[in-house]
């Protein structure tokens, strides 16, 4: 294991005043690679929405906030703002996902932070952007899935809009924000200056639409729901073996030839309705019927082994428990452990980005509310009496 001091981001301090998922996802990436992430939260009873974050022992909370420290500050009080501004002097990054006007009202906008520390990087995540006609709107993942187009292409024809089963716009915005922070830190090494990094759930969601979005922009096509089939490739989608569902990805002429050979169906390769990708898409219904008729003769495991050995991408459709039982998932180290709040091992998801010399690590479970407040305030020069006075005044 690599020591924390040799972690690639160990020299950076991040003040995280974000909430819910997008901001904490960004902060988690930085923390896993060694940054000192201080999660700044309101003292109990200050935030009217604190019930959303109340279950600190939940798997979701623990997975989002591992490797961080916790400081409570009431930023609605002048004393709390003064402490935060003092921390900005020695910080590298401030991360927030408030509505755009809130930071300006509190005097924590980029120009105000820059006046304190010209090297500071402010990372702002919003629902709809920092300005424009929708900037004032609150942004939640399902709202953005709808407005970003994802729900219109998810599900089966005629089914009506369907949300994805995970918070794609939240998570992608957090990942894009982390990319922006790292880029700004790298540029700062040359310029010596910080900058304002911005992303939004809406822009991130549209970016994740990727080929579906540019099918409209470039090709003039309006993507629609197509179920488990791929809109541009065939055979590529979900099929059914004797004991369950099977994903198949035989796009392209090479994969198509290998599929016909592996399944011992040379007549398909010669069929005039299947001679190229465009025709296989046009005649998808017939092709899928023939494939399903064949696949029902044996098990998912049989077909997965046979097709992959032949170089044809295929795989089972797992439930979540089955995901973590898979031998390759175990081999990749997808699950890591920390000691949970109850002293027992806590299994969490590791970072999918692997650095061979300075990898991300799981060190600690998510902090308790205000767990590190005394420690952090003492490092700023506050003695026990001053900290007690701040607590009595509801500042921390």
């Amino acid at each position: 294991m690599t020591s924390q001091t040799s972690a690639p981001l160990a020299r950076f301090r991040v003040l995280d005043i974000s909430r819910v998922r997008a901001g904490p996802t960004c902060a988690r990436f930085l923390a896993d690679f060694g940054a000192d992430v201080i999660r700044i939260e309101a003292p109990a009873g200050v935030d009217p929405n604190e019930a959303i974050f109340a279950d600190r022992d939940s798997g979701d909370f623990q997975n989002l906030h591992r490797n961080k420290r916790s400081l409570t500050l009431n930023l609605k009080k002048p004393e709390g703002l003064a402490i935060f501004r003092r921390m900005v002097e020695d910080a590298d990054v401030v991360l927030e996902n408030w509505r755009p006007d809130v930071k300006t009202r509190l005097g924590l906008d980029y120009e105000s932070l820059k006046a304190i520390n010209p090297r500071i990087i402010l990372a702002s995540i919003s629902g709809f952007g920092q300005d424009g006609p929708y900037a004032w709107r609150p942004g939640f993942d399902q709202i953005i899935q709808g407005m970003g187009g994802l729900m219109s292409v998810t599900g089966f024809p005629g089914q009506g809009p369907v949300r994805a089963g995970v918070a794609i716009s939240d998570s992608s915005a957090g990942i894009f924000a982390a990319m922006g922070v790292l880029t700004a830190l790298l540029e700062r090494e040359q310029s010596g200056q910080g900058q304002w990094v911005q992303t939004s759930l809406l822009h991130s969601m549209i970016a994740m639409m990727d080929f579906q979005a540019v099918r409209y922009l470039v090709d003039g096509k309006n993507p629609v729901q197509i179920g488990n089939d791929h809109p541009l490739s065939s055979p590529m989608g979900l099929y059914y073996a004797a004991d369950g569902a099977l994903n198949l990805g035989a796009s392209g002429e090479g994969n198509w030839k290998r599929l016909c050979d592996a399944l011992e169906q040379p007549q398909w390769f010669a069929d005039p309705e299947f001679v190229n990708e465009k025709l296989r898409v046009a005649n998808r219904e017939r092709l899928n019927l023939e494939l399903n008729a064949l696949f029902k003769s044996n098990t998912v495991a049989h077909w997965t082994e046979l097709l992959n050995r032949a170089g044809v991408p295929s795989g089972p459709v797992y439930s979540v428990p089955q995901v973590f039982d898979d031998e390759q998932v175990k081999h990749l180290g997808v699950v890591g452990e920390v000691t949970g709040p109850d002293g027992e091992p806590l299994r969490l998801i590791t970072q999918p980005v692997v650095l061979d010399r300075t990898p991300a690590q799981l060190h600690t479970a998510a902090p308790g509310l205000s767990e590190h407040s005394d420690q952090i305030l003492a490092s700023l020069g506050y003695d026990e009496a001053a900290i007690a006075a701040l607590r009595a005044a509801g500042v921390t």
Side-chain angles (χ1 to χ4, degrees):
M1 293 289 286
T2 305
S3 67
Q4 178 74 359
T5 55
S6 66
L9 302 181
R11 64 191 183 278
F12 299 118
R13 175 165 291 174
V14 179
L15 307 181
D16 178 18
I17 49 179
S18 69
R19 304 184 302 171
V20 191
R21 185 170 308 280
T25 296
C26 173
R28 174 180 62 191
F29 181 91
L30 303 173
D32 285 359
F33 281 100
D36 178 18
V37 175
I38 300 176
R39 175 172 166 78
I40 296 171
E41 306 173 78
V46 172
D47 186 345
N49 294 314
E50 69 181 14
I52 298 175
F53 327 109
D55 189 2
R56 302 179 77 90
D57 293 336
S58 71
D60 186 28
F61 190 96
Q62 289 294 322
N63 198 52
L64 270 176
H65 298 295
R66 77 279 186 108
N67 288 347
K68 305 174 186 178
R69 296 195 286 165
S70 174
L71 165 68
T72 50
L73 279 183
N74 187 347
L75 297 179
K76 296 179 181 179
K77 289 182 175 287
E79 301 92 336
L81 277 174
I83 292 170
F84 184 80
R85 291 192 179 102
R86 187 169 174 182
M87 295 175 70
V88 169
E89 295 175 9
D90 298 318
D92 297 284
V93 179
V94 172
L95 171 62
E96 62 89 16
N97 61 354
W98 296 333
R99 287 197 313 272
D101 62 304
V102 173
K103 56 182 169 292
T104 303
R105 190 168 68 247
L106 292 175
L108 299 179
D109 56 281
Y110 176 63
E111 291 302 322
S112 299
L113 297 178
K114 180 182 177 181
I116 300 170
N117 178 0
R119 291 174 57 83
I120 199 70
I121 291 160
L122 173 62
S124 295
I125 304 173
S126 60
F128 296 92
Q130 294 298 309
D131 48 33
Y134 298 164
W136 58 274
R137 291 187 181 185
F140 269 68
D141 181 82
Q142 183 156 343
I143 309 303
I144 305 300
Q145 285 195 31
M147 294 182 68
L150 181 63
M151 292 176 69
S152 74
V153 298
T154 304
F156 291 87
Q159 183 178 8
V162 178
R163 70 179 291 274
V166 294
I168 291 181
S169 69
D170 272 330
S171 296
S172 62
I175 294 167
F176 286 135
M179 291 170 56
V181 167
L182 294 177
T183 302
L185 288 171
L186 186 62
E187 190 280 337
R188 192 181 71 176
E189 294 182 0
Q190 182 177 13
S191 69
Q193 297 294 308
Q195 57 185 306
W196 189 9
V197 173
Q198 305 171 39
T199 192
S200 68
L201 273 64
L202 182 60
H203 198 160
S204 297
M205 183 70 265
I206 297 169
M208 293 299 289
M209 288 288 288
D210 197 46
F211 80 96
Q212 291 282 45
V214 296
R215 286 180 68 202
Y216 168 72
L217 292 176
V218 177
D219 303 327
K221 306 290 186 182
N222 179 21
V224 296
Q225 293 168 311
I226 196 170
N228 290 311
D229 292 318
H230 192 282
L232 303 176
S233 298
S234 178
M236 189 169 184
L238 187 71
Y239 299 87
Y240 289 92
D243 59 348
L246 168 74
N247 271 319
L248 173 67
S251 60
E253 302 312 314
N255 280 328
W256 171 240
K257 176 65 164 60
R258 285 190 285 272
L259 176 68
C260 293
D261 291 344
L263 297 179
E264 299 179 355
Q265 301 295 320
Q267 73 278 8
W268 289 353
F269 191 72
D271 194 308
E273 291 190 347
F274 302 154
V275 294
N276 58 44
E277 190 92 60
K278 185 176 181 180
L279 285 170
R280 291 193 294 277
V281 170
N283 297 290
R284 187 200 308 272
E285 184 175 354
R286 179 194 152 206
L287 178 54
N288 284 352
L289 285 171
E290 296 201 29
L291 280 163
N292 275 319
L294 178 58
F295 285 143
K296 285 180 181 177
S297 67
N298 217 314
T299 64
V300 171
H302 169 82
W303 296 121
T304 299
E305 179 69 15
L306 176 72
L307 294 175
N308 279 290
R309 291 289 181 190
V312 180
S314 62
V317 178
Y318 286 151
S319 66
V320 173
Q322 288 173 320
V323 170
F324 295 107
D325 283 338
D326 184 271
E327 60 183 355
Q328 185 66 25
V329 173
K330 293 177 180 178
H331 174 78
L332 290 173
V334 170
V335 177
E337 284 190 358
V338 295
T339 301
D342 59 359
E344 296 297 319
L346 179 67
R347 299 198 305 161
L348 304 174
I349 308 299
T350 58
Q351 282 292 340
V353 178
V354 178
L355 278 64
D356 70 341
R357 188 168 49 80
T358 56
Q361 296 183 63
L362 299 182
H363 291 280
T364 61
L369 183 67
S370 196
E371 180 178 338
H372 303 95
S373 290
D374 288 8
Q375 175 192 89
I376 294 168
L377 291 170
S379 72
L380 296 173
Y382 292 90
D383 59 22
E384 290 185 10
I387 293 171
L390 288 170
R391 186 161 289 121
V395 176
T396 187

